[in-house]
Amino acid sequence: MRNPKLEVLTPDNCQLIFIDQQPQMAFGVQSIDRQALKNNTVGLAKAAKAFNIPTTITTVETQAFSGPTYPELLDVFPGKEILERSSMNSWDDQKVRDALAANGRRKVIVSGLWTEVCNTTFALCAMLEGDYEIYMVADASGGTSKDAHDFAMQRMIQAGVVPVTWQQVLLEWQRDWAHRDTYNEVMAIVREHSGAYGMGVDYAYTMVHKAPQRTAGSHEVLAPVPAR
């Protein structure tokens, strides 16, 4: 029997859902540095936009409790509808099911808060009732403790969820540096969101390839002047 999980992720075979990437949910995250969490989430969003990945954004109790989705994430998808819910489990909202079905792709990449609640319940139900494959972005998701995140990931993996990281997904979509139509966008995402790897790319561009610095404006460099 053919195993669809042996297929690599491509821009044509998957979709993405962001679940409850909202400030009140992030306040409770203790499994990952919260600034790193936002960086990784926004990097993943930019990757999805670069490769035209169908993307769903869903929120819970925005006005009553959780607050609106990070503006940095929303700005990646201007004008996009946000699917509001009351249920902790996104699968319990018909709008979410309809959005996933409309995208017509069985592989669903998930980035959400919290790992042990909203991510886990959605993943299990989407696999059981919707026959989806779930790819959980571990470093663009977070739990209320390291144990909460780790054990939720283990539970999902045992059930058949595939664990991934945001940069792994980005580079799996790119696959070949000869794909020039997305090369520059991928490099821009790497330089802004990939930490030391991005710093290395900046260094190579400026010092090896003599490209201009990645700055919004120019800056005059004054030569050293020994003190008298």
Side-chain angles (χ1 to χ4, degrees), residues 82-228:
I82 310 301
L83 307 185
E84 177 75 359
R85 315 179 327 275
S86 61
S87 170
M88 287 180 280
N89 182 355
S90 299
W91 187 254
D92 291 340
D93 192 286
Q94 190 62 46
K95 298 190 306 299
V96 175
R97 296 192 195 189
D98 291 346
L100 297 175
N103 291 331
R105 302 180 180 189
R106 308 312 301 174
K107 298 179 187 294
V108 181
I109 298 166
V110 180
S111 162
L113 305 177
W114 297 324
T115 317
E116 68 270 28
V117 183
C118 304
N119 291 16
T120 298
T121 56
F122 168 78
L124 297 179
C125 290
M127 289 191 298
L128 177 64
E129 299 177 26
D131 196 30
Y132 288 101
E133 299 169 43
I134 302 297
Y135 295 76
M136 189 64 58
V137 189
D139 61 351
S141 301
T144 54
S145 69
K146 187 175 185 303
D147 279 348
H149 175 81
D150 290 348
F151 285 118
M153 290 296 300
Q154 288 185 36
R155 180 185 179 188
M156 288 188 284
I157 291 166
Q158 289 173 5
V161 170
V162 180
V164 292
T165 59
W166 85 268
Q167 189 167 260
Q168 173 187 358
V169 172
L170 166 69
L171 298 179
E172 202 159 319
W173 284 335
Q174 176 64 27
R175 187 163 181 165
D176 189 331
W177 294 120
H179 295 159
R180 306 305 295 184
D181 53 334
T182 51
Y183 179 90
N184 288 334
E185 286 182 273
V186 168
M187 283 293 98
I189 294 166
V190 166
R191 293 163 82 181
E192 185 173 0
H193 293 280
S194 292
Y197 177 35
M199 294 177 200
V201 173
D202 268 333
Y203 180 87
Y205 274 31
T206 56
M207 302 301 290
V208 178
H209 302 293
K210 305 304 179 185
Q213 278 189 289
R214 181 173 57 90
T215 55
S218 60
H219 301 269
E220 182 182 2
V221 178
L222 302 180
V225 177
R228 300 186 183 84

Side-chain angles (χ1 to χ4, degrees), residues 4-23:
K5 292 179 183 177
L6 296 180
E7 300 167 352
V8 298
L9 298 172
T10 75
D12 300 316
N13 70 3
C14 58
Q15 58 176 303
L16 170 64
I17 185 170
F18 290 104
I19 299 175
D20 304 347
Q21 292 286 2
Q22 299 165 266

